[in-house]
Amino acid sequence: MTSKISSAKLWKEAMKRNMAVIVLMALIYFCAYPLISTFELQSWQNWENNGMNIRSIHEEVLQFLFYNPLFVSMTIIAAALLGILQFSWLHSRKKTDFYHSLPISRERLFMLQYVSGVCSWAVPFLVNYVLAALLLSLGRISAMPEHGWLLVGKTMLLHMITFLLIYSFMALAMVMTGKIFVGILGMGVFCGYGSFLGALWIAGLETCYLSMRNGNEITSYVKLSPVYGIVKMWERFREPQMSARDLALGLLLLAAVVALIAVVLYRKRGSEAAGKAMAFEAAARVIKFLLVVPGTVAIVLFFYILGNNSAIWGIFGFLFGLLLISGIIEFIYRMDIREIFRDKRQIGLSMFAVAALLIVLITDPTGIDDWVPQESEVESVILPNQLNYAYQMDLTDMNFGLIRNENKTVGYQLTEFRYADKCEITDLDPVFALLERRHIGEQRNELEDDAYSFGWKMKNGCIKYRTYYFDSDDREGISEFIKNPKYLKESAPFLSVKPGDLLYAEVFNASMYDDRYVGVLGREEALEKVDPGAYMSYENATHILNGEERSREDSYRMVLDREQRSQLLSTVQDAILDGYMNSEYGEDMLFFLYVNENGEVRGSSLTIQTGMEKVQKQLTQFGYHLTMPEETSDTAEA
């Protein structure tokens, strides 16, 4: 009976102590949700009066109420602050003695504090969020999108999971420490330690292994942080075709496990731990080891790279890093850097662990540096842009902005050419045949080899990047691969274009123009009504769009009509499949605008090279005078 009365009193006292926090939370969330929703609703009503599509208004509501990263950040910050406030009494000897003298079990005491913190955030948040949703749905226009209230429920649930995960980690950090400052540092370790280890591992591989350089795997380290899980959960919620349910349940389970660990540790925590940096001496030793070893390895790699791969600088970094990290941790623990050699056995163990890790990186006992996957494990391969550059072709989408007239697309503005940065193919036989020519181990010499980065998309869903080296004086293997028809079909979408998909085509002398282009975007009926534009300076292009005519006898540019571009299409495609490859490039380029198989407008361009006899002949018949390399020397001077 006494325990129940004490529990009720403690609950009331906890909520009273949190009243200032609750009021502050209510004020912040009132400004963030209902107040701003009212102003936004008025703006959206004005948009509707001015002819704004209701669908556009719904998209704005989605961005504001459901997919707003600012509100997610507010939840994370609130969880961390409440975790500190609810368990800060553990760092005061007087308060700890008082609470532990009460006739209540430690488990119940912990849960009372835990739940009161959750309620202090949840009540202001839920009330104001639902009020904002009501305002948006009951206004003069219903700004809530389809299934809006279902989204409201999902959003509140995701905010709750986000709060519980951060709040549980903060509670655990406060239980394991005896000072607030150290508890905040502990929270940082929980959130960033996994990411740091992942980044360090990838950095070590890229430093010591040639095949890992420029491998693009450095970004994978963030996946080991609970914050990454939160970000990924919200990203999946944002994408309609993806489900955030499994990840949300996993994060909720993780929050429950962390809270349970905090309860168990609190039962074992002594009252005398208040005021100490670490509440558990054994945990302090383990945490020091887990921080000293990777921290020292990071400093070794830093000095090794800074010294241009010098072993002497690496040894200096080894000794300096070990002393530096150990000294910082001892200062945090005992506020006395002179205690750096307090535990000589642990320093020796840390030295051994760091040396072992460095030896593994240097000797590569598992053959990571020469790794090539099994063909049965690979779904597709992402090939490097160097292979595409052999044709100087733009094999990817063009960057253009739509020009609309009465809600119909009638034109585009192309602001830059960009070449393919990668292509993904599923025909793996020529890829593995090419890799048989690679240099491995001691055969590699960065000064004499060409490096190509491959991305292996595995059947288990992960992507592994590796860089392979080939003899720069023997391009036979690369040439054979590039000329492979299957590779060309998969790497160049333009080869699948049909005559009926072409929207626009022109040939021009590239040296006569800058990087500004204005032209027409649309299907055949649109092209018949609108001036096709010109590839030239922005000022001249503007005159042309305004109706000023230019003669088709201008040899530096020619817009092809429907019949001409249809005739030229198959000729160009055959030339590409024939594997034309020459060292001399003309100054003339072909540009095609087409609709791909997904109904999207795309552009491709290519340089007219020597050896493309059929293409040259056909363009000459159309009336365009090519400017090939043989004409730009003696002929041009004459």
Side-chain angles (χ1 to χ4, degrees):
M1 185 67 179
T2 305
S3 177
K4 291 182 179 179
I5 295 174
S6 299
S7 298
K9 288 183 177 180
L10 283 174
W11 170 261
K12 292 180 180 179
E13 289 296 326
M15 295 306 295
K16 285 181 180 179
R17 287 196 308 271
N18 292 345
M19 188 55 62
V21 177
I22 295 174
V23 173
L24 180 62
M25 289 278 182
L27 181 61
I28 293 175
Y29 279 117
F30 177 78
C31 295
Y33 286 114
L35 188 60
I36 295 181
S37 295
T38 302
F39 292 129
E40 292 290 346
L41 186 60
Q42 291 178 354
S43 299
W44 294 329
Q45 289 174 348
N46 293 332
W47 289 3
E48 188 201 32
N49 295 334
N50 294 328
M52 185 70 174
N53 193 313
I54 189 64
R55 184 175 179 180
S56 300
I57 296 177
H58 288 168
E59 291 177 357
E60 292 289 330
V61 174
L62 289 173
Q63 297 297 326
F64 167 71
L65 198 62
F66 304 109
Y67 307 141
N68 197 323
L70 176 62
F71 295 155
V72 179
S73 301
M74 289 172 56
T75 299
I76 293 174
I77 295 173
L81 292 178
L82 278 169
I84 295 173
L85 292 175
Q86 289 301 113
F87 297 96
S88 61
W89 59 271
L90 290 170
H91 299 163
S92 171
R93 182 69 61 87
K94 291 182 178 181
K95 291 182 179 180
T96 302
D97 292 339
F98 169 75
Y99 279 108
H100 288 177
S101 65
L102 297 175
I104 184 174
S105 65
R106 287 201 173 190
E107 294 87 348
R108 181 170 294 180
L109 177 62
F110 182 90
M111 292 309 300
L112 283 172
Q113 295 293 328
Y114 186 92
V115 174
S116 63
V118 174
C119 293
S120 299
W121 166 82
V123 173
F125 166 74
L126 295 177
V127 170
N128 285 285
Y129 189 80
V130 172
L131 180 58
L134 285 171
L135 288 173
L136 293 177
S137 61
L138 299 178
R140 188 177 59 80
I141 61 169
S142 179
M144 290 291 285
E146 186 180 4
H147 308 300
W149 283 101
L150 178 61
L151 290 175
V152 168
K154 290 182 178 179
T155 304
M156 291 191 298
L157 182 61
L158 294 188
H159 273 284
M160 181 63 71
I161 294 172
T162 300
F163 179 89
L164 290 176
L165 184 62
I166 300 299
Y167 183 67
S168 298
F169 271 109
M170 193 71 246
L172 177 60
M174 298 297 285
V175 169
M176 294 184 65
T177 60
K179 295 181 178 180
I180 292 179
F181 173 71
V182 182
I184 295 173
L185 291 179
M187 181 63 182
V189 172
F190 286 144
C191 292
Y193 186 74
S195 299
F196 173 71
L197 286 184
L200 180 62
W201 175 243
I202 298 300
L205 294 179
E206 293 192 352
T207 300
C208 299
Y209 301 152
L210 292 176
S211 66
M212 297 293 291
R213 295 184 180 179
N214 301 317
N216 300 322
E217 289 191 26
I218 195 70
T219 55
S220 62
Y221 68 88
V222 298
K223 298 180 180 179
L224 301 175
S225 170
V227 178
Y228 173 82
I230 292 173
V231 173
K232 202 66 179 177
M233 176 181 68
W234 282 97
E235 285 183 356
R236 291 187 180 181
F237 174 61
R238 185 188 185 99
E239 298 296 331
Q241 67 275 16
M242 300 182 68
S243 174
R245 184 186 61 181
D246 294 340
L247 183 55
L249 290 176
L251 294 180
L252 183 61
L253 178 61
L254 177 60
V257 170
V258 172
L260 180 61
I261 294 174
V263 172
V264 173
L265 291 179
Y266 174 60
R267 289 184 58 186
K268 299 179 180 297
R269 191 181 193 275
S271 299
E272 68 279 0
K276 296 181 179 179
M278 298 296 296
F280 305 94
E281 185 62 29
R285 294 166 60 89
V286 173
I287 290 173
K288 180 181 177 181
F289 177 80
L290 293 177
L291 293 176
V292 169
V293 173
T296 303
V297 172
I299 293 177
V300 170
L301 293 177
F302 173 77
F303 280 102
Y304 179 73
I305 297 172
L306 192 66
N308 294 323
N309 300 341
S310 170
I312 295 177
W313 277 106
I315 295 172
F316 170 79
F318 177 78
L319 299 175
F320 176 76
L322 187 68
L323 295 176
L324 178 65
I325 304 299
S326 298
I328 291 175
I329 294 177
E330 286 298 333
F331 181 78
I332 294 174
Y333 281 178
R334 298 174 177 85
M335 302 302 292
D336 190 353
I337 198 171
R338 292 175 298 179
E339 298 288 335
I340 185 173
F341 297 108
R342 185 174 186 271
D343 193 339
K344 297 181 177 61
R345 181 180 300 178
Q346 187 179 51
I347 291 180
L349 182 61
S350 299
M351 291 181 65
F352 175 79
V354 172
L357 287 174
L358 293 174
I359 290 173
V360 169
L361 285 174
I362 294 171
T363 59
D364 188 20
T366 58
I368 294 177
D369 205 15
D370 295 323
W371 177 82
V372 172
Q374 297 292 326
E375 188 171 354
S376 59
E377 301 174 344
V378 180
E379 178 179 323
S380 61
V381 59
I382 300 172
L383 296 174
N385 55 8
Q386 296 100 314
L387 299 182
N388 292 328
Y389 282 161
Y391 293 108
Q392 291 295 301
M393 288 182 61
D394 186 353
L395 303 179
T396 75
D397 306 342
M398 290 290 193
N399 291 336
F400 55 82
L402 302 182
I403 300 174
R404 297 185 179 276
N405 181 17
E406 296 180 355
N407 297 324
K408 294 182 180 179
T409 300
V410 298
Y412 72 96
Q413 182 172 349
L414 177 64
T415 56
E416 69 171 308
F417 279 104
R418 61 187 176 92
Y419 294 98
D421 55 353
K422 65 182 180 180
C423 67
E424 183 177 341
I425 69 172
T426 56
D427 183 28
L428 302 177
D429 291 337
V431 178
F432 282 96
L434 172 65
L435 290 179
E436 292 179 359
R437 299 175 178 269
R438 76 188 191 281
H439 290 187
I440 60 175
E442 297 180 356
Q443 294 178 330
R444 292 177 301 205
N445 186 324
E446 289 184 277
L447 298 178
E448 299 178 358
D449 296 354
D450 284 343
Y452 297 90
S453 177
F454 288 68
W456 301 102
K457 191 172 183 180
M458 313 300 287
K459 291 182 179 179
N460 61 7
C462 68
I463 300 178
K464 297 183 178 181
Y465 291 92
R466 293 295 186 275
T467 299
Y468 301 105
Y469 294 81
F470 300 85
D471 194 333
S472 59
D473 297 328
D474 180 13
R475 296 180 175 271
E476 181 181 354
I478 301 293
S479 301
E480 290 179 358
F481 181 83
I482 292 176
K483 293 179 181 179
N484 185 285
K486 290 184 178 180
Y487 164 72
L488 290 173
K489 281 283 189 181
E490 296 192 61
S491 64
F494 177 70
L495 294 175
S496 302
V497 176
K498 299 176 182 179
D501 298 329
L502 280 176
L503 300 178
Y504 178 80
E506 71 170 325
V507 57
F508 53 88
N509 185 283
S511 64
M512 300 294 293
Y513 310 104
D514 58 20
D515 60 353
R516 300 297 299 270
Y517 181 89
V518 176
V520 171
L521 174 65
R523 295 188 177 274
E524 298 296 338
E525 58 273 14
L527 289 173
E528 293 175 355
K529 299 177 181 178
V530 187
D531 193 313
Y535 187 110
M536 53 183 60
S537 68
Y538 180 75
E539 291 76 12
N540 289 341
T542 303
H543 291 313
I544 288 179
L545 286 181
N546 290 334
E548 185 176 315
E549 298 289 339
R550 290 193 67 87
S551 172
R552 295 207 28 203
E553 295 180 359
D554 291 339
S555 60
Y556 57 81
R557 173 187 171 271
M558 178 177 177
V559 177
L560 304 178
D561 59 32
R562 184 186 307 179
E563 184 177 354
Q564 289 171 337
R565 59 177 179 261
S566 298
Q567 293 177 8
L568 186 63
L569 175 64
S570 59
T571 306
V572 173
Q573 290 174 333
D574 290 340
I576 296 174
L577 290 174
D578 286 342
Y580 73 89
M581 190 171 181
N582 300 274
S583 58
E584 292 183 314
Y585 294 89
E587 295 184 16
D588 296 282
M589 297 187 69
L590 282 169
F591 170 68
F592 295 91
L593 196 69
Y594 60 91
V595 177
N596 65 12
E597 58 186 6
N598 297 323
E600 301 165 331
V601 177
R602 295 292 180 259
S604 288
S605 63
L606 63 128
T607 302
I608 302 174
Q609 303 179 12
T610 56
M612 298 177 65
E613 293 87 358
K614 292 183 179 180
V615 176
Q616 298 173 35
K617 182 179 179 180
Q618 201 164 30
L619 288 173
T620 303
Q621 292 175 351
F622 293 158
Y624 185 83
H625 304 290
L626 291 169
T627 310
M628 299 304 294
E630 60 269 20
E631 297 180 12
T632 58
S633 55
D634 298 339
T635 304
E637 293 178 3

